Amino acid sequence: MKKYILLIFACIYAIHLNAQNAGINFLHGTTWAEAVAKAKAENKLIFIDFYTQWCGPCMNMAQTVFSLPTVGYYYNQTFINLKIDAEEGEGITLAKKYGVRSYPTYAFVDPATEEIVHRSSSRQTPEQFIQTGKDANIPTKRSFYLQEQYTKGNRERAFLIDYINYHYSVYARNNVQAAFDELIKGGAKLTDPDVWEVYVNTINGMNPYLKQVSDNYADFCQRFGKKAVDAKLAKETSYGELAEIEALCNYEGKDFNLKMIRINNDIREQKYEAAATQIDAMIADTTVNQQELISRLKFIARLGYKAEELPEFWFNKCVGYLQYIAYNQTDRDDAFIHQEYAAALEMVLRKLNGKAPIPACLSTEPAYGKKVYNMRPDALKMKPKRKK
C-alpha cells in the first residue's frame, strides 16, 4: 500500500512539474556569456524577452502567451530563451546594445556574432508569437532583411505580403497601409485569395478597399463566402461616419453598428436620455446579439475618473448597464467586468453617504437577463434536486 501511495504522489508531482514547465523555459541565474556559449553549443538563436516591471503588455504576454504549452513547445525546442529586465543589472547594458526603446521587445540574436537578426514587439496572440519565432529562423522573413529589401525597392508580391504581415505584428499601421497600396498598384487584386487574406487580417477602417467590397458585394460573397465578407464589413464599420456607412450595401451587422454609432453620438452630445432609450430597447430586443451588445456596452458604461461630473440620470443608467454586463456576459472569468461593476458600487456607496438616492437597478430585480449575480458558466447545468 505504501508503495502505491508513493507512486500516486510521484505522479501528482510529475503532473505539477509538467504544468510548471508547459510554457517557455527561460534561463534564470545565467550570465549573458553563459547563454551565448550554450546557444553556440546547441546551434540555436537566442531569444530575449526585454521587459520592465511596470510594463502591462509585458506581464500580459508572460501570463497569457509565454505560459502556453504550444508556445513553450516551439520556443523551447528552437531557441535559448532569456527573460531580461531592461532596467536591472546586465539588462541595462544589453538593452542599450540592442537598441531597445519600447516594451516588450523580442530580440533574436545570433550567438556567433552576438548581432540581432530579428526584432519584434508588442502584445501578440499565441499564433502571432509562434509565427514571430518561425520568421526569426527564415532569413528572408527577418525584420532587418525585410526593411533592407524594402528600402532598396523590392516590390515583389510575395515579399510585400511578408513585409505587411511583419509590420502588422508590431503595430506599424502606416507601413502596412503604404505597402498594401503598393501591392495593389503593382497589379495585385483584392479578389485574389492571398491578397484578400492580407486585406482581411491587416487593413482596417473605412477606405476605398472597403467601398470596393461593398460595391461588388455579390462577387466577393461568391468568392469568399457571405459570412466572411459580412464579418469584414461589420468589423470595419464598428465606428465611423453615419452617412458613409449608410451608403454601403446591406450586410449582417450593419443595422447594429448604425444603432451603436447613433448611441455614441448622443452620448458625445450629452443626449443621455436618447442614448439610454436606444440601449434599453436593444437590451429588451431578443433578436439582438446580447454578447455583442455587451462587448460594446463595456466601453459606453465605463465610469472613469470623471464619473462625479455625470448627471445623476446617466450615472445611474451606467451602473445598471455595468450590472447587466456583470450578470450576463458569457465569459465569467473576465475580471474586467467584475472590477468595473465593483468600482461602480463603491461610487454608489460614496454618493449614498452624500444622501443621493439608491439607483433603481440595485433595489429591484433585473428586468432582463439573469436575475442572480454569480460566476456560474452558462454551459454548466444546475445539479438535480434529490427526491426525498
Side-chain angles (χ1 to χ4, degrees), residues 321-364:
Y321 297 143
L322 290 171
Q323 180 192 61
Y324 179 75
I325 294 165
Y327 274 49
N328 294 284
Q329 180 173 292
T330 302
D331 180 7
R332 306 308 296 153
D333 294 332
D334 180 359
F336 174 86
I337 61 171
H338 306 295
Q339 187 274 329
E340 288 294 317
Y341 184 42
L345 293 178
E346 282 191 350
M347 292 181 194
V348 169
L349 289 174
R350 286 196 291 270
K351 281 178 170 285
L352 288 175
N353 196 39
K355 308 305 180 185
I358 298 175
C361 67
L362 300 180
S363 58
T364 58

Side-chain angles (χ1 to χ4, degrees), residues 128-169:
Q128 283 178 318
F129 190 65
I130 290 173
Q131 188 60 53
T132 291
K134 290 180 178 179
D135 290 347
N137 272 320
I138 303 173
T140 57
K141 290 195 174 185
R142 290 173 175 172
S143 58
F144 294 97
Y145 172 85
L146 293 172
Q147 194 55 56
E148 179 187 10
Q149 287 294 305
Y150 187 82
T151 302
K152 287 181 177 178
N154 188 344
R155 297 298 183 269
E156 292 180 7
R157 181 175 180 139
F159 167 78
L160 280 176
I161 289 175
D162 287 340
Y163 180 88
I164 290 167
N165 285 331
Y166 166 71
H167 281 279
Y168 181 78
S169 75

Side-chain angles (χ1 to χ4, degrees), residues 35-37 39-40 43-46 109-115:
V36 169
K40 284 180 179 178
N43 193 29
K44 294 178 178 179
L45 294 179
I46 301 170
V109 176
D110 183 346
T113 62
E114 295 190 36
E115 290 184 359

Side-chain angles (χ1 to χ4, degrees), residues 16-301:
H16 175 67
L17 200 61
N18 249 0
Q20 284 185 319
N21 295 331
I24 298 178
N25 292 328
F26 289 101
L27 295 181
H28 296 289
T30 304
T31 66
W32 174 246
E34 290 169 341
V36 169
K38 183 175 176 63
K40 284 180 179 178
E42 297 184 22
N43 193 29
K44 294 178 178 179
L45 294 179
I46 301 170
F47 162 62
I48 309 172
D49 168 37
F50 281 106
Y51 73 99
T52 66
Q53 296 181 37
W54 46 262
C55 168
C58 299
M59 180 176 287
N60 178 270
M61 287 294 292
Q63 293 178 343
T64 65
V65 178
F66 297 167
S67 59
L68 295 177
T70 51
V71 174
Y73 179 79
Y74 182 78
Y75 274 74
N76 294 338
Q77 289 205 337
T78 312
F79 307 111
I80 299 300
N81 303 298
L82 293 178
K83 193 172 182 62
I84 294 178
D85 187 334
E87 297 179 338
E88 293 285 339
E90 199 174 25
I92 298 171
T93 303
L94 290 171
K96 185 176 181 181
K97 177 179 180 178
Y98 293 119
V100 176
R101 297 183 182 84
S102 62
Y103 308 101
T105 286
Y106 314 123
F108 296 84
V109 176
D110 183 346
T113 62
E114 295 190 36
E115 290 184 359
I116 184 171
V117 296
H118 185 59
R119 180 197 301 270
S120 188
S121 63
S122 306
R123 187 177 297 175
Q124 299 183 14
T125 65
E127 294 76 18
Q128 283 178 318
F129 190 65
I130 290 173
Q131 188 60 53
T132 291
K134 290 180 178 179
D135 290 347
N137 272 320
I138 303 173
T140 57
K141 290 195 174 185
R142 290 173 175 172
S143 58
F144 294 97
Y145 172 85
L146 293 172
Q147 194 55 56
E148 179 187 10
Q149 287 294 305
Y150 187 82
T151 302
K152 287 181 177 178
N154 188 344
R155 297 298 183 269
E156 292 180 7
R157 181 175 180 139
F159 167 78
L160 280 176
I161 289 175
D162 287 340
Y163 180 88
I164 290 167
N165 285 331
Y166 166 71
H167 281 279
Y168 181 78
S169 75
V170 295
Y171 297 85
R173 299 289 190 253
N174 291 339
N175 292 348
V176 169
Q177 187 67 59
F180 189 82
D181 290 342
E182 290 185 299
L183 182 66
I184 298 298
K185 288 177 184 176
K189 297 179 180 178
L190 201 56
T191 50
D192 296 338
D194 58 339
V195 178
W196 169 256
E197 182 180 1
V198 173
Y199 168 66
V200 168
N201 292 335
T202 68
I203 304 300
N204 303 121
M206 291 288 294
N207 52 50
Y209 304 118
L210 196 72
K211 188 174 186 306
Q212 181 183 341
V213 175
S214 173
D215 291 346
N216 300 276
Y217 179 72
D219 181 37
F220 276 89
C221 287
Q222 186 174 8
R223 291 173 183 272
F224 305 112
K226 183 179 186 300
K227 185 177 180 180
V229 175
D230 283 354
K232 181 61 176 175
L233 286 164
K235 178 176 179 287
E236 304 311 333
T237 57
S238 298
Y239 302 94
E241 296 297 324
L242 276 172
E244 289 183 352
I245 297 172
E246 286 171 339
L248 297 177
C249 66
N250 291 322
Y251 53 88
E252 187 70 30
K254 179 180 179 179
D255 183 57
F256 180 87
N257 283 347
L258 289 172
K259 286 179 179 177
M260 296 309 300
I261 291 170
R262 291 187 185 102
I263 289 168
N264 277 302
N265 288 346
D266 282 340
I267 294 170
R268 195 176 301 113
E269 295 170 12
Q270 298 185 2
K271 298 177 180 178
Y272 297 120
E273 291 190 9
T277 298
Q278 295 174 81
I279 294 171
D280 292 346
M282 293 181 76
I283 290 175
D285 188 347
T286 56
T287 66
V288 171
N289 183 329
Q290 292 299 309
Q291 295 307 308
E292 179 64 24
L293 177 59
I294 283 172
S295 72
R296 303 287 189 91
L297 274 181
K298 285 181 186 178
F299 302 98
I300 289 175

Side-chain angles (χ1 to χ4, degrees), residues 298-310:
K298 285 181 186 178
F299 302 98
I300 289 175
R302 189 175 186 181
L303 293 168
Y305 66 96
K306 291 188 176 180
E308 299 295 331
E309 300 174 15
L310 294 175

